[in-house]
Amino acid sequence: MKPWKVIDRASAPDGGELVLHQRGEEFAIRVNGRELMSSRQHGSEERMAEVACAGLTGARVRVLVGGLGLGYTVRATLDRLSSSAEVVVAELVPAVVAWNQGVLAPLAGRPLEDPRVKVETRDVGELLREAEGHYDAVLLDVDNGPEALTQEDNRWLYGERGLARLRRALKPRGVVVVWSASPDRAFARRLERTGFDTEVVETPARGKAGGPLHTLFIGRVRPSAA
């Protein structure tokens, strides 16, 4: 088996180090030695986009993707939207954007080159705080789950105040999908309490190829809470 080689390094928001690795045609991003994402496993990210974009039609569809990763979520989102849609991608680490514009670009078919995409190199929370009834869908994949944070500053986002802010950023029939490496009943209850009709779905990391199960928390704005 070919050995992993380091392609690039960058500072993580929490002071750690993000490292981009390559082995043959496979890529992985690790932080402090722990794998965050891999090109071998992106089925659950694609499932996120499928759920979030179901039924989104019309001329002014706006979707916010929190977390660029290896570009698979953005690509799957674009593939399910019309040519007039807008996809805003929030990525806090400039190096991750640069990697997706360079060596990682072919993995997901160069999604950042799509004219529907606008990249914001800043915290997704800032975009949510600025928005009022702006987005049809929000996809959040910025941590390993509501309790498995890659950045401690994100903790507010999964609490009731953060979820209430997220709800206000959505249109009246909007949907949020939150990716998690594992189930979290307490988080699902918080979604319910903050005005979302909630569904929890477990989906294989490699899609039809199987793999470990990841969890998607799906929240649809309850009409009375819009």
Side-chain angles (χ1 to χ4, degrees):
M1 182 178 291
K2 294 182 178 180
W4 287 100
K5 63 179 181 179
V6 174
I7 303 299
D8 200 8
R9 302 175 185 270
S11 297
D14 63 355
E17 184 180 53
L18 286 170
V19 184
L20 176 62
H21 294 264
Q22 182 180 8
R23 181 174 63 187
E25 297 182 355
E26 182 182 352
F27 290 86
I29 295 177
R30 299 185 174 100
V31 59
N32 301 330
R34 177 170 54 91
E35 186 169 289
L36 288 182
M37 58 202 75
S38 165
S39 59
R40 291 179 293 107
Q41 300 185 16
H42 48 86
S44 57
E45 286 86 348
E46 292 166 349
R47 177 66 172 150
M48 261 186 98
E50 179 184 344
V51 171
C53 297
L56 292 186
T57 58
R60 294 189 177 183
V61 171
R62 295 189 184 96
V63 177
L64 173 62
V65 177
L68 175 56
L70 301 179
Y72 292 110
T73 304
V74 180
R75 164 50 58 201
T77 299
L78 291 167
D79 288 348
R80 288 164 172 79
L81 298 177
S82 72
S83 60
S84 62
E86 178 184 47
V87 177
V88 179
V89 181
E91 174 51 58
L92 190 57
V93 182
V96 174
V97 177
W99 297 340
N100 274 270
Q101 292 169 330
V103 66
L104 298 179
L107 288 180
R110 303 182 180 275
L112 298 191
E113 297 178 12
D114 193 299
R116 294 172 289 175
V117 173
K118 178 182 180 182
V119 178
E120 294 277 3
T121 312
R122 54 183 177 139
D123 194 314
V124 67
E126 294 181 18
L127 296 174
L128 292 173
R129 290 185 181 101
E130 295 171 2
E132 291 288 341
H134 189 73
Y135 297 107
D136 294 275
V138 173
L139 292 77
L140 286 181
D141 187 6
V142 294
D143 293 287
N144 281 331
E147 295 298 329
L149 306 180
T150 56
Q151 183 185 349
E152 185 61 29
D153 289 348
N154 287 341
R155 188 169 296 280
W156 76 274
L157 184 56
Y158 304 104
E160 292 193 18
R161 290 178 61 186
L163 293 175
R165 175 63 265 177
L166 195 158
R167 191 193 72 223
R168 293 196 295 273
L170 287 164
K171 294 180 181 178
R173 299 288 182 177
V175 60
V176 59
V177 183
V178 179
W179 187 96
S180 178
S182 58
D184 187 331
R185 292 182 180 178
F187 178 69
R189 289 194 293 268
R190 286 197 297 277
L191 269 177
E192 284 282 351
R193 288 198 299 268
T194 48
F196 291 96
D197 290 327
T198 303
E199 181 182 2
V200 180
V201 173
E202 290 189 334
T203 186
R206 298 180 187 175
K208 292 181 180 180
L213 291 177
H214 293 156
T215 301
L216 302 181
F217 299 96
I218 305 160
R220 293 181 174 84
V221 175
R222 197 173 298 133
S224 61

